[in-house]
Amino acid sequence: MDYYKILGVNKDASVEEIKKAYRKLARKYHPDLNPNDKEAEQKFKEINEANEVLTNADSRKKYDEHGADWKHADEINRARAQQRQQYSQGGGQQFDPSDFGGGDYSDFFESMFGGSGGFRSGGRNVQFKGQDYNYELQLELKEVYQTHKRVLEVNGKKLQLTIPAGVENGQTIKLKGQGGAGANGGPAGDVYIRFNITNSGHFKRDKNDLYTTVELDLYTALLGGEVVADTFDGKVKLKVPAGTQADTKVKLKGKGFPVYKKEGEFGDLYVTYKIRIPVQLSEKEKELFTELSKIRS
Amino acid sequence: MDLQEYVLVSHLCTQYAIEQSFLYSLQDNGLIVVTTIDRVDYLHLDELGSLEKMIRINRDLHVDAAALGVIAGLLQQIENLQNELNAMRNHLALYEGE
């Protein structure tokens, strides 16, 4: 990780130039200004770390000297001194700076900032709410037709979540106080669960209403009759009036999707009739349809 | 009114290391609601999230309360648009694949 590159400044940039570059990038990527944007949050962590290191003369010097291993500069220098001493005394082990671990910025970042949604908040010893966690939960449409409980593993702990019937695709619910522990005795953060609801069935959903199509044979459409239609939780028998046109829409009140957090309330189901025209007519059928067409014209 | 759901403004200012004037300027700009009970000012627990967000933006970006009001308004607009976009996407799914 090149801190200078992250902030877009030269290696000989002054502290003022670094601060200016940081402020410009912080305004762009601040997580509070980019809610639910993980990329911006990550970027903000990086620029924060770069700023913290490069605006501190001591850590900047260590970073310039040791690069990614700057955090372990003191250990490295001690080991080098020891190494020199061992060599001067004859023999000794080779020193490998990688023994101190990689240059992962996040450890450093976490140790410095912690809490507050995972980003910096002034660095003073004040109470702050713990980190909020965002999760995405993928469910099938049929799974949100009824309220049900589900156990989720969030940040290493198991949470029992009640998923209310009727939750919408893209909707986010908040589990208050289930996030990271607060800093300096502050309240715990929250967990945000975003629902990604897939629909592989033949019902289409728009909020609480459902839409489906039912095929009618030509004769039922012409002469009327009955047809059985699927609803989300069973089947219903529908009366088809004589002379029903293609794309006629009928509304089945209360046969739609459950209304979110309103137990017992449902949207409507809209059934669109598609009329199936007979194909591969027999000679007799052709004769009769021709006769019919003559009567109509 | 359940006082357990409220935090003393003076206590909050100490805990968050902020000036009371800053907190009241947030109220003046419509960003938080301070509740007065028996002549003592409190903040409802539900307001804590907003307060912390404003403190973070203030400290990290050196934005004053008036500008925070503008930012909060724009963020609300973005959220409304995102909700609307989500509803439109779900609605559009009705016609896809027909």
Side-chain angles (χ1 to χ4, degrees):
Chain A
M1 179 173 296
D2 184 336
Y3 291 149
Y4 292 102
K5 212 169 169 181
I6 287 167
L7 293 176
V9 293
N10 292 326
K11 285 197 188 300
D12 57 357
S14 66
V15 171
E16 207 34 61
E17 285 171 322
I18 289 166
K19 281 182 179 171
K20 197 174 162 190
Y22 163 75
R23 280 196 294 269
K24 192 176 170 188
L25 291 168
R27 279 197 297 272
K28 189 175 174 186
Y29 294 110
H30 197 281
D32 283 319
L33 307 184
N34 297 275
N36 302 321
D37 185 343
K38 283 185 178 139
E39 213 174 297
E41 190 176 325
Q42 179 76 2
K43 193 90 184 153
F44 188 70
K45 285 179 178 178
E46 289 175 12
I47 60 173
N48 247 316
E49 180 173 332
N51 178 59
E52 287 294 326
V53 174
L54 298 185
T55 53
N56 179 300
D58 185 45
S59 51
R60 184 177 180 178
K61 190 168 168 254
K62 287 176 184 169
Y63 175 73
D64 287 343
E65 197 179 333
H66 299 282
D69 289 314
W70 71 274
K71 283 170 271 183
H72 309 292
D74 293 339
E75 291 100 312
I76 293 170
N77 288 336
R78 267 199 305 277
R80 278 181 183 157
Q82 198 180 0
Q83 193 181 29
R84 277 195 298 272
Q85 199 180 2
Q86 282 172 340
Y87 277 126
S88 66
Q89 289 166 354
Q93 287 179 304
Q94 285 287 321
F95 170 71
D96 179 2
S98 65
D99 288 345
F100 290 111
D104 188 301
Y105 75 92
S106 60
D107 294 344
F108 164 74
F109 183 85
E110 292 302 328
S111 67
M112 282 203 71
F113 306 125
S116 302
F119 49 88
R120 190 179 106 102
S121 289
R124 279 183 258 176
N125 188 29
V126 294
Q127 282 187 329
F128 267 96
K129 192 178 160 194
Q131 188 168 354
D132 292 339
Y133 295 113
N134 291 291
Y135 284 85
E136 193 166 294
L137 184 59
Q138 188 156 331
L139 296 170
E140 244 298 315
L141 186 62
K142 63 183 177 213
E143 292 181 286
V144 290
Y145 186 73
Q146 284 181 325
T147 298
H148 69 283
K149 290 189 190 303
R150 186 172 283 243
V151 176
L152 292 179
E153 193 163 322
V154 175
N155 194 33
K157 63 178 178 181
K158 285 190 164 58
L159 286 182
Q160 193 177 52
L161 169 69
T162 300
I163 299 172
V167 72
E168 283 243 31
N169 180 36
Q171 190 176 336
T172 302
I173 62 168
K174 180 167 99 172
L175 304 178
K176 209 171 172 177
Q178 301 291 348
N184 301 320
D190 304 316
V191 171
Y192 291 88
I193 313 259
R194 186 179 188 275
F195 293 96
N196 180 10
I197 298 167
T198 54
N199 182 6
S200 58
H202 61 275
F203 290 98
K204 291 194 169 181
R205 178 191 183 192
D206 185 23
K207 296 190 179 92
N208 308 314
D209 293 330
L210 291 173
Y211 295 81
T212 190
T213 55
V214 167
E215 274 200 349
L216 293 181
D217 64 71
L218 179 65
Y219 309 103
T220 307
L222 276 173
L223 307 170
E226 285 182 342
V227 69
V228 174
D230 287 326
T231 69
F232 213 85
D233 62 351
K235 290 180 186 297
V236 286
K237 201 180 271 181
L238 301 175
K239 276 194 176 161
V240 181
T244 293
Q245 301 292 319
D247 295 326
T248 295
K249 206 178 263 184
V250 292
K251 179 166 98 171
L252 306 184
K253 208 166 165 53
K255 288 289 180 188
F257 219 67
V259 181
Y260 181 69
K261 289 206 167 170
K262 287 190 178 169
E263 208 179 327
E265 278 189 42
F266 290 80
D268 303 321
L269 170 63
Y270 291 88
V271 176
T272 302
Y273 290 132
K274 297 285 174 195
I275 296 170
R276 197 171 54 245
I277 302 293
V279 290
Q280 293 176 319
L281 299 177
S282 67
E283 282 307 312
K284 180 72 179 169
E285 282 175 319
K286 273 185 196 166
E287 197 182 303
L288 289 170
F289 275 119
T290 309
E291 204 171 317
L292 278 173
S293 73
K294 280 178 186 163
I295 294 170
R296 292 295 289 184
S297 58
Chain B
M1 193 174 282
D2 185 1
L3 267 183
Q4 285 195 323
E5 291 184 357
Y6 291 85
V7 190
L8 274 169
V9 161
S10 56
H11 179 69
L12 275 176
C13 290
T14 310
Q15 291 302 322
Y16 288 121
I18 54 171
E19 299 287 336
Q20 289 208 6
S21 59
F22 173 71
L23 192 141
Y24 288 111
S25 64
L26 292 178
Q27 176 177 247
D28 293 343
N29 284 282
L31 297 168
I32 53 168
V33 179
V34 174
T35 309
T36 308
I37 306 164
D38 295 334
R39 293 188 189 172
V40 181
D41 286 346
Y42 295 89
L43 205 69
H44 193 273
L45 286 178
D46 288 347
E47 300 273 345
L48 271 188
S50 302
L51 175 66
E52 291 192 351
K53 186 197 267 190
M54 297 309 148
I55 294 172
R56 288 195 298 264
I57 299 175
N58 168 261
R59 285 187 180 153
D60 294 340
L61 304 178
H62 307 285
V63 173
D64 66 16
L68 282 170
V70 176
I71 289 170
L74 291 171
L75 285 173
Q76 187 58 52
Q77 274 186 37
I78 291 172
E79 194 185 329
N80 293 345
L81 287 170
Q82 279 173 338
N83 289 340
E84 200 175 326
L85 179 67
N86 189 46
M88 297 302 277
R89 274 193 183 134
N90 289 340
H91 190 69
L92 186 64
L94 268 182
Y95 304 101
E96 282 175 342
E98 271 194 355

